[in-house]
Amino acid sequence: MMMFSTENLSALNASVLMSSREIARLTGITHGEVKRLIKSLETAQRLSQPLTINLYEHEGEMRQEFCLNKRDSLLAVARLSPGFTADLLDKWQEREKVAHLPDFTNPAEAARAWAEQFEQRRAAEEQLALSAPKAEFFDRFVEVTDSLGFRQLCKMLKVKEPEFRQFLLERNIMYRDKGTLTPQHHHMQAGYFTLRSGVGENQHAFSQARFTAKGVKWVASLWAGHIATQPKGVAA
């Protein structure tokens, strides 16, 4: 007899997800904007579980969409357009009526459910194995005791400045203030950045944002996760 644990049931139940494209269609907000908001929630560690990324084809090009569980999708819509929260709940009710756990008294259905779960776990382990070398690289490489400026960090991570700048802006880690990259206030409060002030040769005061040692390790970890989910030839 095939046995299923509570963990098995939870894993199967968690497979009910809603995509960022569905949220975009529901709210009338562009898919790109929805994805940026979800990324910012991930950066702020507000999501209850890691993002699931699916690929889909659009006009002959492979693109990415994010899949969220019920709690995280409601959080995203509440941030994007609160007026659609009730509509989203209706969608979830419809989805939950259709979605159901396998009939574990039926050996054939139970076997299929076990096989699906096994494949999902195997795929997750393969993805983890792919990203592990990158994570190990950053763990070994990111050993700083002093703060670093933007260019110093780019050199250390061996990433092009425009690419890393776009990453920081899209994740809402930093924003442009009169052309200057400026950290979001809550990231300053978290201790990821420090500001260094001084007076230039022209006697004009300046303020430069720098990544603290804590911030370097944090953003390097985010960057490692980002590049691990960017297969070649796939548009974001």
Side-chain angles (χ1 to χ4, degrees):
M1 180 178 178
M2 191 172 297
M3 301 296 293
F4 274 74
S5 66
T6 303
E7 181 183 357
N8 297 143
L9 296 176
S10 298
L12 288 166
N13 197 37
S15 64
V16 182
L17 302 170
M18 183 166 291
S19 73
S20 51
R21 284 195 294 165
E22 290 178 284
I23 293 174
R25 286 194 293 268
L26 175 71
T27 60
I29 297 172
T30 65
H31 188 217
E33 186 64 27
V34 172
K35 288 174 64 180
R36 278 191 289 274
L37 182 278
I38 293 172
K39 280 286 190 182
S40 70
L41 291 174
E42 181 191 36
T43 300
Q45 300 179 350
R46 298 297 305 277
L47 300 180
S48 63
Q49 66 182 41
L51 277 180
T52 299
I53 299 176
N54 284 339
L55 300 181
Y56 68 95
E57 187 174 347
H58 178 70
E59 297 179 351
E61 185 179 44
M62 296 305 296
R63 295 182 177 272
Q64 293 181 347
E65 66 177 359
F66 303 143
C67 294
L68 304 176
N69 61 22
K70 183 176 182 179
R71 181 262 186 199
D72 293 342
S73 68
L74 286 167
L75 175 61
V77 169
R79 292 292 185 88
L80 288 164
S81 187
F84 287 95
T85 303
D87 294 324
L88 183 67
L89 282 171
D90 290 341
K91 271 191 168 295
W92 271 110
Q93 287 179 353
E94 294 172 6
R95 181 158 299 184
E96 288 165 346
K97 287 178 183 177
V98 175
H100 64 281
L101 291 174
D103 178 7
F104 294 109
T105 63
N106 183 324
E109 190 169 348
R112 282 195 297 271
W114 179 86
E116 289 174 3
Q117 185 197 358
F118 177 81
E119 284 301 315
Q120 290 173 1
R121 178 167 295 183
R122 185 180 63 82
E125 289 173 349
E126 287 179 355
Q127 181 61 41
L128 182 62
L130 288 173
S131 60
K134 296 183 178 68
E136 183 181 354
F137 166 79
F138 283 105
D139 285 342
R140 183 176 67 252
F141 202 72
V142 181
E143 294 181 359
V144 296
T145 56
D146 195 12
S147 61
L148 296 179
F150 172 77
R151 288 186 174 178
Q152 290 174 298
L153 184 55
C154 287
K155 288 180 180 179
M156 192 188 74
L157 298 179
K158 297 181 180 179
V159 58
K160 295 178 180 178
E161 290 184 17
E163 185 179 357
F164 194 59
R165 185 181 296 109
Q166 181 181 359
F167 167 77
L168 295 175
L169 293 172
E170 288 183 349
R171 289 294 191 94
N172 286 328
I173 296 172
M174 304 185 81
Y175 65 96
R176 291 186 185 276
D177 182 16
K178 298 178 181 178
T180 302
L181 277 180
T182 305
Q184 296 285 355
H185 181 64
H186 57 280
H187 292 320
M188 285 285 297
Q189 290 183 317
Y192 297 138
F193 291 91
T194 184
L195 291 179
R196 285 193 177 178
S197 302
V199 178
E201 295 179 358
N202 56 5
Q203 299 303 307
H204 286 174
F206 69 88
S207 181
Q208 181 193 41
R210 296 174 66 86
F211 294 85
T212 62
K214 176 182 177 182
V216 169
K217 294 176 182 179
W218 168 70
V219 80
S221 175
L222 291 177
W223 177 251
H226 171 72
I227 61 177
T229 59
Q230 297 293 315
K232 292 182 179 180
V234 176

